[in-house]
Amino acid sequence: MNFLGFGPSCNVDIVLSETTSKRSIDIRKDKAVEKQPLVIGKEPIVGNVVVKPVPGKRLEHLGVKIELLGQIEMFYDRSNQYNFMSLVKELLSPGEVADDVTLPFEFLNVEKQFESYNGINVRLRYFLRVTIVVRKAITNTVKELDFWVQNYQPEPEINNNIKMEVGIEDSLHIEFEYDKSKYHLKDAIVGKIYFLLVRIKIKYMEIALIKRETTGSGPNLFNENETLTKFEIMDGNPVRGELIPVRLFLSEFDLTPTYRTVHNKFSLKYYLNLVLVDEDDKRYFKQQEITLWRKK
């Protein structure tokens, strides 16, 4: 029913071309899984907008447009969305539509600076939005379609190993070393731990991979730590001179690259956390940041 401007005046669909929709990715969203088209870097966004007036009715409109939007949404402040990218194309001038009409569109060579991200307190999304300004209607007709963006990154020119020492004076002295500090998302972290001095009785040792999401600033600054994996690498008391190998395959986890700062709204960092537990259940730990990047 469309009485005095109420009810839909038309149906709208956004249909991506086979080139744009050839890849898809499963995205976890609100405890569900949603399939979205996957776009890499500057790949074009091409397709058609299909407008279907209600049978027997003419669609009187003041214009049809499509927008390509990049948006950051803070979950603690859903009233404010931050658009860091906005491109608009006019598809149809004001007039009437009596029959179904197909309107082609394309966004070519558009730099998508940031990757898509669904986090604990923040979401970064890319989407298409079609708006039809309907004459004599209470609201416009709007249709949105999300797509997922990933960006390949060049291999780091400098990638030094990590070598650090940790200990308690006259009681414990440990040296740990990782083969590098920057890893691609399908890489393997390889390292070793040396016990140089052991005068306390250690029960076990474990290593964890931690993701830290930081959002907002000032009173609205939130840090969320998520332990992606944690596993024991030693059981029992080590002796001086003992060497413990470390190997962690990153391909087993759902990871994103490191984000130092995204539009001054949020950052995402990864850490390796080494924990030792003694007989009295005292915990000794050392945390080290690593950088993740997406390899082509």
Side-chain angles (χ1 to χ4, degrees):
M1 180 179 291
N2 189 357
F3 180 67
L4 296 180
F6 292 96
S9 54
C10 64
N11 292 316
V12 183
D13 284 318
I14 304 172
V15 182
L16 296 178
S17 69
E18 290 185 5
T19 303
T20 303
S21 61
K22 63 184 177 183
R23 289 184 299 257
S24 63
I25 186 171
D26 290 333
I27 304 300
R28 292 187 181 90
K29 186 178 179 182
D30 299 328
K31 298 183 180 180
V33 176
E34 176 184 297
K35 191 176 290 291
Q36 292 187 10
L38 174 62
V39 176
I40 305 296
K42 292 185 178 181
E43 289 181 345
I45 310 296
V46 180
N48 293 300
V49 173
V50 181
V51 181
K52 298 180 179 180
V54 173
K57 300 283 187 178
R58 287 181 175 270
L59 170 63
E60 298 182 36
H61 66 89
L62 299 176
V64 180
K65 68 178 181 180
I66 186 168
E67 299 169 89
L68 172 57
L69 297 168
Q71 187 179 88
I72 298 172
E73 178 184 354
M74 300 294 188
F75 296 154
Y76 57 82
D77 186 16
R78 291 181 181 270
S79 61
N80 290 317
Q81 286 95 29
Y82 306 92
N83 290 341
F84 59 86
M85 185 179 75
S86 179
L87 299 173
V88 184
K89 290 184 181 291
E90 299 294 335
L91 299 181
L92 202 59
S93 301
E96 290 186 355
V97 176
D99 301 308
D100 297 356
V101 61
T102 298
L103 307 170
F105 68 87
E106 60 180 16
F107 293 94
L108 305 179
N109 201 34
V110 177
E111 182 178 1
K112 305 164 195 73
Q113 183 179 0
F114 309 115
E115 287 203 355
S116 301
Y117 176 67
N118 276 343
I120 298 172
N121 287 320
V122 63
R123 174 171 69 153
L124 189 152
R125 63 186 286 237
Y126 289 89
F127 60 102
L128 296 166
R129 176 192 289 157
V130 174
T131 303
I132 302 176
V133 182
V134 182
R135 191 188 300 271
K136 298 179 182 178
I138 301 298
T139 59
N140 297 331
T141 298
V142 178
K143 179 74 172 183
E144 293 183 353
L145 177 67
D146 284 73
F147 61 93
W148 197 262
V149 170
Q150 293 180 348
N151 290 319
Y152 294 133
Q153 298 165 294
E155 187 166 349
E157 294 182 3
I158 300 175
N159 197 354
N160 298 324
N161 67 338
I162 299 172
K163 191 171 184 179
M164 297 187 70
E165 296 182 359
V166 61
I168 305 167
E169 188 175 0
D170 297 328
S171 300
L172 180 68
H173 187 188
I174 297 173
E175 181 179 275
F176 65 91
E177 181 178 354
Y178 300 112
D179 58 337
K180 49 191 175 183
S181 55
K182 301 172 183 177
Y183 299 87
H184 64 77
L185 301 184
K186 304 299 181 184
D187 217 335
I189 297 174
V190 178
K192 46 196 173 184
I193 300 167
Y194 302 96
F195 287 87
L196 305 176
L197 176 65
V198 184
R199 289 180 178 168
I200 59 175
K201 290 188 177 180
I202 297 174
K203 190 160 56 174
Y204 65 89
M205 179 167 60
E206 63 186 23
I207 194 168
L209 177 63
I210 296 173
K211 179 172 74 172
R212 179 175 299 161
E213 177 189 288
T214 302
T215 56
S217 60
N220 288 324
L221 179 67
F222 297 93
N223 284 311
E224 296 285 353
N225 290 335
E226 180 182 356
T227 300
L228 302 177
T229 186
K230 180 172 65 175
F231 58 96
E232 195 173 282
I233 58 175
M234 186 198 71
D235 183 16
N237 198 41
V239 297
R240 180 179 178 181
E242 188 166 350
L243 183 151
I244 305 295
V246 175
R247 188 176 294 269
L248 176 62
F249 294 95
L250 297 177
S251 59
E252 298 178 11
F253 310 105
D254 184 16
L255 302 173
T256 69
T258 295
Y259 306 141
R260 295 294 174 194
T261 178
V262 179
H263 206 59
N264 296 319
K265 298 298 181 185
F266 73 96
S267 64
L268 188 67
K269 299 179 181 180
Y270 292 88
Y271 296 86
L272 289 173
N273 198 38
L274 181 67
V275 180
L276 290 88
V277 180
D278 68 12
E279 282 190 331
D280 299 322
D281 287 329
K282 291 182 180 177
R283 301 171 70 86
Y284 310 91
F285 68 92
K286 186 69 175 181
Q287 197 170 85
Q288 174 64 44
E289 183 182 357
I290 59 172
T291 299
L292 300 186
W293 58 282
R294 189 179 300 281
K295 184 179 180 180
K296 187 171 181 179

